[in-house]
Amino acid sequence: MGLNSGYNCLQSELFCACRALHWVTPEMLRVPLDEDKPEVTEHLVSSITAIVKMDSKRAPQDKLACISKCSRHIFSAIQISNEKPAAADDFLSSLIHVVLKVNPPRLHSNIQYIIRFCHPKRLMTGEAGYYFTNLCCAVTFVEKLNGPSLNLSHEEFEQYMQGHKLSAKKTPSSPFLHNADPGIQKMHKNLQLLLSQVWERQDRIIKEVKKLEQEVLEWKRSVKEEVEETIEKFPLCNTLNPE
C-alpha cells in the first residue's frame, strides 16, 4: 500500500506540473515542428492518440507499443517539417512538447507499471527501449523544469508560473484546424473532449485525496488532544502508585 501511495503522489505531482506549465510554447522548447503543414498535424494527432490510449492497455508490452507508435509519428512529423531525418535532440524536445500539451492520463503510473512488469531486455535494447528511455527523460525534464531549461531567468520563470506574464507567442489549442480535413478536425475534437474529461476526473481525485489527507491530520490531532486531556484528568502515576 505504501508503494502505491508513493506512485499516486508522484503521479499527482506530474499531472499538476504539466497543468502548471501550460504556458510553455514550442518555441521555448525549440521544437522543430511546422504545425501549419497538414501532414505534420496528422502525425501529431496520431501521436497524441497513441499515448492517450496507453492508459487503457493492460499488458506492459501493449503499453510499450503505444509509446513506440507515438514516437514514430513524432519522428515522421519532424522529418516532414524539416524535410530531412530527425535528430535525437529534435525528437526529445518534440516528445516533451507532446507530454506537456496532452498531459497523458496516469503517465507516471504507466511508466512504473512498464518498468515493473516488462522484460528488462525490451526496455534496454531495440527501438522500443530507445523510445521508452526518451519518454522517461521527457518526464524527468518536465518534473525538473526551471528557467534555465527554457532560456529564461528565474524571475521570468516565476512570472509565467504565477500567471503574471503571458507567452510572447501563445500556441492556440488547435493551431491546425483551419487547414485540416474534416476527419482530422473531428478526431481532434473528440480527443480534446476525452482529455478534458480525463483532466476533470484527475482534478477531482487530487482534490479528494488532499481533503482526505486533511481529515486524517485533523483526526490525529483530535485523538492526541483527547489522550492528553484524559491523562491530565486521570494521571497514570496515581493509578499505578496509590497511596
Side-chain angles (χ1 to χ4, degrees), residues 108-168:
H108 191 281
S109 299
N110 280 302
I111 288 176
Q112 293 303 318
Y113 182 86
I114 292 172
I115 292 174
R116 191 172 182 181
F117 295 107
C118 198
H119 195 287
K121 187 175 181 180
R122 294 197 64 183
L123 301 181
M124 294 185 291
T125 59
E127 184 183 45
Y130 172 76
Y131 294 146
F132 181 74
T133 299
N134 273 272
L135 180 60
C136 293
C137 291
V139 168
T140 300
F141 180 88
V142 170
E143 291 174 333
K144 298 183 177 181
L145 191 63
N146 55 24
S149 305
L150 303 172
N151 290 326
L152 298 173
S153 67
H154 175 73
E155 291 73 18
E156 288 178 313
F157 183 80
E158 288 302 318
Q159 286 178 345
Y160 279 119
M161 290 296 290
Q162 295 171 14
H164 299 322
K165 187 173 183 178
L166 298 177
S167 303

Side-chain angles (χ1 to χ4, degrees), residues 201-212:
R201 182 180 63 189
Q202 293 202 36
D203 270 339
R204 187 169 61 252
I205 291 174
I206 290 171
K207 289 178 181 178
E208 290 175 354
V209 168
K210 289 182 178 179
K211 181 181 178 182
L212 180 59

Side-chain angles (χ1 to χ4, degrees), residues 64 67-69 71-72 75 91 95 126-136:
L64 199 59
I67 295 173
S68 297
K69 185 175 182 180
S71 300
R72 284 193 291 269
F75 263 110
F91 168 64
L95 183 57
E127 184 183 45
Y130 172 76
Y131 294 146
F132 181 74
T133 299
N134 273 272
L135 180 60
C136 293

Side-chain angles (χ1 to χ4, degrees), residues 80-95:
I80 294 172
S81 295
N82 299 338
E83 298 181 353
K84 62 179 181 181
D89 289 345
D90 291 341
F91 168 64
L92 181 56
S93 65
S94 300
L95 183 57

Side-chain angles (χ1 to χ4, degrees), residues 2 24 41 48 55 57 65 72 131 171 184 200 226 232 235:
V24 176
T41 56
I48 291 171
D55 189 52
K57 305 298 182 182
R72 284 193 291 269
Y131 294 146
T171 304
I184 292 295
E200 181 181 348
E226 289 183 10
E232 287 180 2

Side-chain angles (χ1 to χ4, degrees), residues 5 11 53 55-56 64 77 105 114 125 133 199 214 225 229:
S5 177
Q11 175 57 50
K53 282 185 176 180
D55 189 52
S56 65
L64 199 59
I114 292 172
T125 59
T133 299
W199 292 337
Q214 187 62 35
E225 290 175 354
E229 184 179 345

Side-chain angles (χ1 to χ4, degrees), residues 20-37:
L21 294 166
H22 64 87
W23 50 267
V24 176
T25 66
E27 291 76 22
M28 291 177 177
L29 294 169
R30 296 179 288 281
V31 175
L33 294 173
D34 184 358
E35 296 190 30
D36 289 329
K37 292 183 177 180

